[in-house]
Amino acid sequence: MHKSIQILIADDHRLFADGLKFILSFSVEYASVDTVEDGEAVLQYLQQKATDVVLLDIHLPGMSGIDVARHIRQHHPQVRILAVSMAEDRETVQAMIEAGAQGYCLKTAGQAELLRALDKVSKNELYFSPEIVPILLQQRPSEKLNAFIEKLTAREIELIKWLIQGHSAAEIAKKLFISPYTVETHRKNIYAKLNIHNLNELITFALQHNLA
C-alpha cells in the first residue's frame, strides 16, 4: 500500500498557488494538496492536519515566511519546508535556510525543477535552485574558522568551491590541472574531515562557514 503525501502551499498570490496545486495534484503520485494565503493560516492548518511538506513563500501577509519556518521547526519538526520565492538575495535565502527550510526553489523554475526540489525535500534531503548557490557563495569578510575548517588544506578549500557549484570531477580536474582521480581523493578526504556524506551536506557546511 502506497503512503500518500500531504502538501500545503502557502502563497498569497492565488493564481500562482492554484496553478501550483494543479501541477502537484496531477504530477505527484498519491499527493493531497491544500493552499493557504498567510502565515497564521499555515500554523492553524498544521495544528489540525498532519502535513509532510510545506511549500512556503517568504513574503506573506502578516507573519513572514521566515517566522513561519522558525515556528514549524520548533513546533512541527517532522514537517519539511521548501521555500518557493522570487527573492534571491543572499540575506533572505540565508535567513530562510537558518530558519529551517531544507530547500529553496525560485519561482522562475520550471515544473521539472520544482518536482525535483519537492522530491528531495520530501525525502529529508536538501535542494537549492542552481541560481542560488553562486549568490550564497559570494565572498564576505573573512571570519574565524572553526576547528573543522582548520583541518582543511588550501587545495581542499579551493575544491569545495567548485564542488558546491556543481562541477564534475573531470571539469574540476581540467580547471586545476590535476587528474580526476586526485579530485575524487580530495573529495573523500574533505568528507572525512568534515564528517559529512554527500554534496547536500557539503553545501550546508559551506553556507554555515562562509567558504567561498
Side-chain angles (χ1 to χ4, degrees):
M1 187 173 184
H2 295 279
K3 180 184 181 298
S4 63
I5 178 172
Q6 182 66 42
I7 301 170
L8 177 64
I9 299 168
D11 197 296
D12 63 326
H13 293 88
R14 187 62 180 271
L15 187 61
F16 177 82
D18 287 348
L20 203 54
K21 179 178 180 179
F22 179 83
I23 290 173
L24 297 180
S25 296
F26 287 92
S27 301
V28 181
E29 195 172 16
Y30 308 108
S32 177
V33 187
D34 291 321
T35 64
V36 295
E37 298 181 11
D38 61 71
E40 291 291 343
V42 175
L43 307 188
Q44 294 172 9
Y45 183 94
L46 294 179
Q47 289 177 346
Q48 300 169 5
K49 195 165 187 177
T51 304
D52 297 295
V53 184
V54 175
L55 273 63
L56 185 60
D57 191 13
I58 294 175
H59 301 298
L60 294 172
M63 192 176 189
S64 75
I66 294 171
D67 289 334
V68 172
R70 291 195 186 105
H71 182 95
I72 293 174
R73 267 295 68 78
Q74 182 177 357
H75 299 283
H76 307 279
Q78 77 283 1
V79 176
R80 311 305 174 200
I81 302 170
L82 172 60
V84 182
S85 176
M86 288 296 296
E88 53 183 299
D89 61 283
R90 177 173 182 145
E91 290 73 20
T92 300
V93 178
Q94 184 76 41
M96 197 64 180
I97 294 170
E98 291 176 352
Q102 291 170 284
Y104 200 106
C105 185
L106 293 175
K107 286 186 175 180
T108 52
Q111 178 177 331
E113 182 183 343
L114 174 66
L115 294 177
R116 185 164 60 252
L118 177 60
D119 179 63
K120 288 281 189 182
V121 171
S122 67
K123 294 176 179 176
N124 201 24
E125 299 177 7
L126 302 177
Y127 181 86
F128 302 102
S129 285
E131 299 90 344
I132 290 295
V133 174
I135 294 170
L136 290 173
L137 296 176
Q138 290 171 359
Q139 186 65 43
R140 298 198 303 182
S142 60
E143 300 177 5
K144 181 176 174 58
L145 299 180
N146 68 10
F148 271 131
I149 299 178
E150 290 171 356
K151 296 178 182 178
L152 299 172
T153 66
R155 173 64 90 184
E156 288 168 345
I157 292 176
E158 183 181 18
L159 197 70
I160 287 174
K161 174 182 177 180
W162 298 114
L163 286 170
I164 59 184
Q165 290 183 10
H167 294 284
S168 68
E171 291 170 337
I172 296 172
K174 187 175 181 180
K175 292 176 183 294
L176 301 182
F177 304 101
I178 56 180
S179 72
Y181 175 81
T182 301
V183 172
E184 283 300 316
T185 299
H186 282 311
R187 182 185 62 79
K188 291 177 181 178
N189 289 339
I190 291 169
Y191 284 13
K193 288 181 179 181
L194 302 182
N195 192 28
I196 59 177
H197 307 90
N198 54 52
L199 182 58
N200 286 329
E201 292 181 5
L202 180 62
I203 292 173
T204 301
F205 184 92
L207 296 180
Q208 290 174 342
H209 300 287
N210 311 307
L211 289 177

